[in-house]
Amino acid sequence: MNIKRFSLCSFVGFIFIFIYEYLIHGVLLVPTYELTPQLWRPMESMQEFMPIMTAVQLLTAAILCFIYTRHHEGKGISEGLRFGAMLGLLIGMLSFSSYAYMPISITLGLSWFGACFVKTIGLGVIFSLLYKNKKT
């Protein structure tokens, strides 16, 4: 594994996740979350958990990048798309499963699935563009 490229991919992946999740959860899904306020922390108290959320996003980017580097074949964007789609199905299904045990709407469950799916495809493309063909 090339540590410099791994670090770059992890960092850029983290920035992507940070912005993407803000847009999804902090903008697009806010009206949906407002339908079930009893399930969520008040917005004011969310700020104290920001370091935990940021750490999780950073670790997610690094772990997914590590998995990508272990299976990297140098096949370009198509490899990144396949990687993202496979992980997106897995992570998306895990997110959607919350619908079975939380009193959320099917719309929110499907939104979480779709958001995870698109996020991992984005990460796969980012990793494929930054990690390139060089194997070291």
Side-chain angles (χ1 to χ4, degrees):
M1 173 176 28
N2 182 306
I3 297 299
K4 287 182 183 178
R5 284 188 285 151
F6 168 76
S7 299
L8 176 64
C9 287
S10 295
F11 178 72
V12 173
F14 162 68
I15 297 299
F16 171 74
I17 291 172
F18 187 86
I19 293 168
Y20 181 81
E21 290 198 354
Y22 169 75
L23 291 174
I24 296 297
H25 301 291
V27 177
L28 294 176
L29 290 178
V30 169
T32 307
Y33 292 140
E34 289 173 345
L35 297 174
T36 53
Q38 71 280 7
L39 296 177
W40 321 113
R41 296 182 192 279
M43 191 55 74
E44 309 80 51
S45 70
M46 286 278 203
Q47 293 306 314
E48 68 184 83
F49 294 94
M50 194 65 173
I52 294 171
M53 291 186 287
T54 303
V56 167
Q57 292 169 340
L58 180 59
L59 288 171
T60 298
I63 290 166
L64 293 180
C65 182
F66 180 77
I67 294 169
Y68 182 84
T69 65
R70 299 292 76 187
H71 302 281
H72 175 67
E73 297 176 349
K75 295 182 178 177
I77 290 178
S78 64
E79 180 179 17
L81 289 170
R82 279 192 310 277
F83 172 82
M86 287 187 290
L87 282 175
L89 288 172
L90 173 64
I91 296 169
M93 288 306 299
L94 292 171
S95 293
F96 174 76
S97 70
S98 298
Y99 173 70
Y101 52 86
M102 286 179 71
I104 60 172
S105 68
I106 187 82
T107 302
L108 184 55
L110 291 171
S111 295
W112 285 348
F113 173 85
C116 288
F117 189 74
V118 171
K119 177 174 65 179
T120 55
I121 287 179
L123 286 170
V125 169
I126 288 167
F127 297 158
S128 69
L129 291 172
L130 296 177
Y131 207 75
K132 300 287 186 192
N133 292 342
K134 301 174 194 170
K135 290 185 181 181
T136 55

